């Protein structure tokens, strides 16, 4: 197997013409013969380069609206032939097949076509056939052929040629082949995923997921774990699509926690007022609305100042200088907002390690999508939890109906509980959380922890009355026994929102009535694991 392979002939056929003319000129200057197709050939000729049409190689003109142009032995033989195998060389000579040493191909913009909402037939026409076939052929034969599928690799290719007297090394071709197969795999994944959606097939026989490397990470959840971050190409506003304005490189845990914070914050529409979410270890530790963004932040922080230290802050509207000043009073790992004033940026610049992310928008909490989790030997795939409960969806089950303020707090607490690890209990009052109990095996334990958090809040802020007095409580799943309801009543809550559906609902309702609570059922559960 040869190490150095001189590049004497290159086939260039690209959809994205970025840098094509410059690459063509650089290759021609190094004595490389250029072979090309359609629009790529036209771009190269416009740059004043001599180009041989692929039809000259095949003896066939492009046909069927360009569907058939490179699917020919003269092309695939030139890519697949093992030049050090006598039988292959003899076949090339017999059929007048010229070797192709370099393939430069990027594919029809299928993902972009889907993203802009094109119709079925137009999307089908943007499925590339000849491109993936050539890429797979050339990448398989990386012993002899270099395969370039990304514009960003053009400089590396030219540097490789300059460093090896017009040749490529075997390790370089291996790396290019890895990238090439990743690209065709991702492309096919995009096609099959789109077709499953178009056919409304919830569980296709084979499900493929793909991503593009966004960032290599120092380590994973723990220092002994290797990690990387991949984007799925969906451009959903959030941590993956955000622009980092300053700060240290995001860590694995930063990314995970920032996603949790941004997804919850997106539940609160800016038109309904400013909102802030603070997250620690993927759980919200404080969430609040406010007349101003600064007020929302301060109220969220005050819910659990201890946990807010070193947390992630997500905001639902433009970050101003006043809010930035308040955030800078407490050590914070990451701040993410849909827009950021220059004055706020200038203040954050005084803390250069703080990671400041510009999201350019909020995610749509009702947008359909998939959630994927790996288990031993497979993946669990489900719809994203995009369910939204509105007041008209609620069923009052107690003798006393909730008042207007209680109803607002119940819906607020329910929205937060959707994003808290199960078992989840959330106390809220006046549009702010005042106690959150997360991730306990027993629901009553989560209730007690949330109440304990509220007591800590009162002690920290010097409150004479527990903040749970007059609060609303949300539970992500039904109360299997009355003990959780009684614990909420003991903490001073006056209203409770839960899915309902327990075999003991009657007992739970009776306990709520006896305690004077107003309780509503959503008919919807929000487990989160």
């Amino acid at each position: 197997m040869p190490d150095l392979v001189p590049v004497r002939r290159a086939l260039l056929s690209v959809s994205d013409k970025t840098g094509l003319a410059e690459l063509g000129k650089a290759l021609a200057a190094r004595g490389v013969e250029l072979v090309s197709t359609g629009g790529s050939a036209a771009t190269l000729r416009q740059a004043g380069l001599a180009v041989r049409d692929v039809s000259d190689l095949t003896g066939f003109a492009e046909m069927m609206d360009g569907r058939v142009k490179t699917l020919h032995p003269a092309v695939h033989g030139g890519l697949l032939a093992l030049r050090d195998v006598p039988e292959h060389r003899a076949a090339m000579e017999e059929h007048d097949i010229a070797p192709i040493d370099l393939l430069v191909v990027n594919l029809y913009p299928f993902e972009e076509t889907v993203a802009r909402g094109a119709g079925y037939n137009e999307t089908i026409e943007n499925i590339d056939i000849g491109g993936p076939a050539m890429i797979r052929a050339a990448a398989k034969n990386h012993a002899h052929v270099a395969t370039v599928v990304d514009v960003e690799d053009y400089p590396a290719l030219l540097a490789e040629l300059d460093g090896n007297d017009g040749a490529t090394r075997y390790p370089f071709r291996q790396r290019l082949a890895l990238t090439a197969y990743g690209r065709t795999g991702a492309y096919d994944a995009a096609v099959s995923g789109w077709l499953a959606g178009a056919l409304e097939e919830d569980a296709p026989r084979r499900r493929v997921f793909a991503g593009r490397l966004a960032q290599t990470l120092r380590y994973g959840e723990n220092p002994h774990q290797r990690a990387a971050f991949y984007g799925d190409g969906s451009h959903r506003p959030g941590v993956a699509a955000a622009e980092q304005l300053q700060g240290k490189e995001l860590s694995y845990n930063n990314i995970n926690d920032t996603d949790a914070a941004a997804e919850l914050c997106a539940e609160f529409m800016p038109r309904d007022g400013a909102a802030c979410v603070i997250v620690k270890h993927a759980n919200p530790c404080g969430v609040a609305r406010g007349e101003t963004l600064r007020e929302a932040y301060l109220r969220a922080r005050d819910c659990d100042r201890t946990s807010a230290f070193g947390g992630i802050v997500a905001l639902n509207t433009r970050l101003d200088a006043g809010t930035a000043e308040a955030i800078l009073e407490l050590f914070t790992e990451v701040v993410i907002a849909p827009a950021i004033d220059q004055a706020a940026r200038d203040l954050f610049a005084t803390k250069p390690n703080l990671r400041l992310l510009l999201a350019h928008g909020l995610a749509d909490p009702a947008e359909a999508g998939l959630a994927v989790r790996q288990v031993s030997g497979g993946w669990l795939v489900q719809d994203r939890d995009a369910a939204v409960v509105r007041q008209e969806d609620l069923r009052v089950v107690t003798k006393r109906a909730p008042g207007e303020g209680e109803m607002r707090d119940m819906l607020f607490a329910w929205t937060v509980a959707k994003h808290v690890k199960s078992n989840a209990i959330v106390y809220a009052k006046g549009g702010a959380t005042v106690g959150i109990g997360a991730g306990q095996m027993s629901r009553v334990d989560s209730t007690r922890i949330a109440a304990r958090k509220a007591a800590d809040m009162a002690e920290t802020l010097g409150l004479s009355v527990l903040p749970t007095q007059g609060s609303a409580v949300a539970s992500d799943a039904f109360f299997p026994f009355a003990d959780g309801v009684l614990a909420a009543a003991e903490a001073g809550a006056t209203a409770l929102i839960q899915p309902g559906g327990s075999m003991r609902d009657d007992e739970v309702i009776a306990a709520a009535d006896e305690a004077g609570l107003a309780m509503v059922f959503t008919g919807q559960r929000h487990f989160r694991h």
Side-chain angles (χ1 to χ4, degrees):
M1 183 179 299
D3 180 25
L4 291 172
V5 174
V7 175
R8 299 187 177 95
R9 181 176 295 105
L11 172 54
L12 302 90
S13 180
V14 297
S15 175
D16 180 0
K17 308 297 192 296
T18 303
L20 176 61
E22 292 77 10
L23 177 64
K25 290 177 181 178
L27 292 174
R30 290 164 175 80
V32 179
E33 179 188 359
L34 305 182
V35 180
S36 191
T37 62
S40 298
T43 297
L44 293 169
R45 289 193 177 102
Q46 288 171 6
L49 297 169
V51 183
R52 184 180 181 188
D53 287 318
V54 75
S55 58
D56 291 342
L57 255 62
T58 64
F60 283 87
E62 294 182 14
M63 62 182 71
M64 302 176 185
D65 298 319
R67 284 190 169 204
V68 179
K69 51 189 173 186
T70 59
L71 297 170
H72 190 279
V75 174
H76 286 267
L79 293 171
L80 283 166
L82 299 175
R83 288 84 186 272
D84 52 359
V85 174
E87 292 81 4
H88 285 212
R89 291 202 308 271
M92 294 174 73
E93 292 174 6
E94 179 181 354
H95 298 286
D96 195 25
I97 296 174
I100 299 170
D101 310 305
L102 169 65
L103 177 72
V104 180
V105 170
N106 57 59
L107 305 176
Y108 291 173
F110 178 83
E111 295 96 334
E112 291 83 352
T113 303
V114 173
R116 62 179 170 81
Y120 187 91
N121 290 336
E122 182 183 354
T123 304
I124 288 291
E125 288 306 311
N126 275 277
I127 299 175
D128 202 327
I129 302 302
M134 289 192 293
I135 290 171
R136 290 176 59 83
K140 176 178 180 177
N141 198 25
H142 61 266
H144 301 277
V145 183
T147 311
V148 177
V149 297
D150 291 323
V151 173
E152 65 202 63
D153 287 330
Y154 292 176
L157 169 66
L158 297 178
E160 176 76 3
L161 295 175
D162 288 342
N164 297 284
D165 196 23
T168 60
R169 293 166 299 138
Y170 182 64
F172 181 76
R173 298 192 299 277
Q174 283 182 305
R175 299 295 299 179
L176 290 178
L178 170 63
T179 301
Y181 279 120
R183 179 64 186 114
T184 56
Y187 198 78
D188 286 342
V191 173
S192 65
W194 165 78
L195 196 54
L199 300 181
E200 298 183 347
E201 180 63 63
D202 294 331
R205 182 177 300 170
R206 290 181 174 85
R207 172 76 79 176
V208 186
F209 301 98
R212 185 182 177 101
L213 181 65
Q215 179 185 341
T216 55
L217 303 172
R218 288 176 57 207
Y219 52 81
E221 280 187 283
N222 303 292
H224 63 275
Q225 295 173 273
R226 292 179 294 179
F229 182 37
Y230 288 84
D232 64 6
S234 65
H235 304 297
R236 179 176 173 85
V239 64
E243 176 187 357
Q244 184 168 351
L245 302 179
Q246 68 162 61
K248 294 191 295 185
E249 182 179 82
L250 289 166
S251 71
Y252 181 101
N253 292 324
N254 289 155
I255 293 169
N256 190 51
D257 289 353
T258 302
D259 178 66
E263 287 291 321
L264 172 51
C265 200
E267 300 269 6
F268 302 106
M269 296 295 99
R271 65 174 179 267
D272 298 326
C276 173
V277 174
I278 304 176
V279 160
K280 194 74 167 289
H281 292 295
N283 273 308
C285 58
V287 184
R289 287 193 174 280
E291 291 295 323
T292 65
L293 192 60
R294 178 187 176 92
E295 181 189 14
Y297 168 74
L298 292 173
R299 298 184 76 204
R301 184 191 70 183
D302 285 347
C303 177
D304 187 349
R305 288 188 179 182
T306 300
S307 297
F309 183 87
I312 310 296
V313 173
L315 306 161
N316 77 332
T317 190
R318 178 177 290 275
L319 174 54
D320 57 79
T323 307
E325 287 176 343
I327 293 172
L328 289 171
E329 292 173 2
L330 189 71
F331 171 64
T332 300
E333 287 276 0
V334 181
V335 177
I336 183 169
I340 305 172
D341 286 345
Q342 186 59 52
R345 295 190 192 192
D346 293 342
L347 286 168
F348 281 120
T350 64
K351 298 288 184 181
N353 288 337
L354 185 147
R355 303 159 178 90
L356 183 61
L357 303 182
L358 178 58
H360 298 289
L362 296 172
D364 178 1
E367 181 183 8
L370 294 179
V372 183
R373 172 170 294 183
Q374 187 167 14
V375 297
S376 296
W379 288 272
L380 286 170
V381 181
Q382 64 175 348
D383 293 332
R384 180 189 291 122
D385 187 355
V388 177
V389 167
R390 297 174 178 83
Q391 184 170 336
E392 56 267 29
D393 301 320
L394 305 178
R395 180 165 65 95
V396 179
V397 295
T398 49
K399 295 176 181 177
R400 184 174 76 81
E404 185 178 337
E406 288 176 319
M407 182 63 76
R408 283 196 301 268
D409 282 339
M410 283 194 296
L411 288 170
F412 178 87
W414 179 254
T415 299
V416 176
K418 173 183 173 181
H419 293 263
V420 178
K421 297 299 174 75
S422 300
N423 287 307
I425 296 292
V426 176
Y427 288 83
K429 184 177 179 180
T433 56
V434 294
I436 299 174
Q440 298 304 301
M441 291 71 73
S442 165
R443 189 158 301 278
V444 70
D445 284 345
S446 288
T447 306
R448 291 167 178 156
I449 288 172
R452 178 67 253 178
K453 287 284 189 180
D456 292 342
M457 175 183 176
E459 182 179 350
T460 300
L461 300 180
L463 304 177
S464 58
V465 177
L466 287 176
T468 48
Q469 292 293 322
S471 66
V473 181
S475 173
D476 65 334
F478 63 66
F479 283 100
F481 303 99
D483 53 0
V485 173
L486 296 175
E490 290 171 4
T494 61
L496 198 151
I497 182 171
Q498 60 139 320
S502 167
M503 293 175 59
R504 296 180 176 83
D505 272 351
D506 290 343
E507 297 175 24
V508 173
I509 293 169
D513 280 334
E514 186 175 348
L517 296 175
M519 185 164 66
V520 300
F521 283 179
T522 65
Q524 184 182 95
R525 189 180 73 186
H526 279 308
F527 270 167
R528 191 176 191 88
H529 298 107

